[in-house]
Amino acid sequence: MSKLRLGVNIDHVATVRNARGGDTPDPVRAAILAQDSGADGITAHLREDRRHIGDADIDALMDALTVPLNFEMAATDEMQKIALRHKPHAVCIVPEKREERTTEGGLEVAREENQLAHYIAPLRAAGCRVSIFIAADQRQIEAAHRIGAQVIELHTGAYCDAHAEGNFEKRDAELEKMRAMSAYAHDLGLEVHAGHGLTYDCVKPIAAFPEVMELNIGHFLIGESIFRGLQPAMAEMRRLMDEARAT
Ligand code: PXP
């Protein structure tokens, strides 16, 4: 089985920085440390309200990183302009609601198919790999494929929440849905990524899906790094991912 890539999402280093409004802790420093500690990519979400990552962070990440930047953004004109200016390795289109604490669900691609096809065309033409963050739903996967996305990222949040709540029936149902849909998307020719809410406790079943090429993990890793440091926190995640892959 191919090696699973670990993308480290550094948004919540910026959340802590912004709690005081100063310069520390610096998410770009965290990204460089993650890169030096074996991250295969860095993910950053420039939200419309700039609640964590800011424009200057994206400028600095583009300058500093040697691993690919996965630039998460909502499908707005402003974000499209920023992405076209930077041309990051990948652009991950996510739904965004102001009132939400985090990205709660996947993108409704099927309902917005024409607009999204039009929206991502210049990003693809600029050389960015376009990824769409969606639920494990056949209609959404087919729509993502039709609009020309190269990658889908499956939203693992419902699975992780069910696991944390001890609702194992729901957890297993979510897992089965993701298992079937990663195979389906892969057969269509899409590259499959997954992320949201992943922790040491729940990462392995997802990491074991052979079609999944990349996991993007942020909140748990950044939290865990308070206790262990970022490098050891990542090393343990890497170990669990590799173990799941080997069995
Ligand atoms: N992937 C996507 C598309 C996301 O929006 C997020 C959260 O910003 C993540 C992965 C990482 O989720 P978490 O911070 O819960 O690990």
Side-chain angles (χ1 to χ4, degrees):
M1 230 190 287
S2 58
K3 185 162 187 256
L4 184 56
R5 292 198 301 266
L6 172 60
V8 175
N9 179 320
I10 42 94
D11 291 350
H12 295 300
V13 179
T15 305
V16 177
R17 175 193 62 191
N18 296 1
R20 283 291 174 92
D23 295 334
T24 60
D26 177 9
V28 180
R29 182 175 167 202
I32 293 167
L33 179 59
Q35 170 178 277
D36 293 345
S37 308
D40 300 294
I42 297 295
T43 291
H45 182 180
L46 185 65
R47 291 187 79 103
E48 197 190 354
D49 61 10
R50 310 300 199 268
R51 71 173 71 156
H52 37 59
I53 293 296
D55 299 69
D57 297 322
I58 299 294
D59 296 345
L61 287 168
M62 285 300 300
D63 282 346
L65 292 180
T66 52
V67 294
L69 176 67
N70 178 33
F71 178 59
E72 272 185 35
M73 59 181 225
T76 65
D77 290 346
E78 182 199 19
M79 290 301 152
Q80 190 191 49
K81 279 198 197 93
I82 295 171
L84 289 173
R85 180 151 47 83
H86 286 299
K87 300 185 180 57
H89 166 82
V91 165
C92 181
I93 313 286
V94 301
E96 212 174 278
K97 290 190 229 116
R98 279 221 171 200
E99 63 281 11
E100 71 188 355
R101 276 213 198 136
T102 180
T103 314
E104 281 163 3
L107 196 70
E108 240 308 328
V109 200
R111 209 174 45 208
E112 320 256 341
E113 198 171 320
N114 289 341
Q115 295 100 299
L116 280 168
H118 188 67
Y119 185 85
I120 68 170
L123 297 166
R124 280 204 54 168
C128 301
R129 279 177 79 68
V130 174
S131 168
I132 312 276
F133 191 43
I134 50 176
D137 175 314
Q138 189 171 327
R139 270 180 62 241
Q140 305 299 343
I141 292 170
E142 288 167 353
H145 180 245
R146 279 195 299 272
I147 67 171
Q150 295 116 308
V151 181
I152 56 152
E153 180 165 332
L154 291 177
H155 195 310
T156 53
Y159 155 78
C160 296
D161 288 348
H163 178 82
E165 288 156 12
N167 185 346
F168 299 134
E169 207 175 310
K170 176 154 191 254
R171 176 198 65 185
D172 294 347
E174 291 293 335
L175 197 60
E176 279 320 301
K177 233 179 353 183
M178 284 190 287
R179 188 195 312 282
M181 288 302 110
S182 17
Y184 185 75
H186 180 262
D187 287 348
L188 285 179
L190 290 160
E191 182 170 315
V192 182
H193 299 176
H196 205 282
L198 292 169
T199 67
Y200 295 152
D201 278 348
C202 64
V203 73
K204 285 179 85 172
I206 304 282
F209 294 167
E211 300 85 5
V212 172
M213 302 292 291
E214 177 174 307
L215 298 180
N216 287 304
I217 310 181
H219 183 265
F220 176 81
L221 271 183
I222 299 305
E224 191 64 13
S225 70
I226 294 170
F227 304 104
R228 300 186 189 223
L230 183 56
Q231 186 171 19
M234 282 174 53
E236 176 62 3
M237 190 61 84
R238 179 84 261 169
R239 187 186 70 75
L240 293 165
M241 285 163 59
D242 291 346
E243 213 171 80
R245 215 62 177 175
T247 51

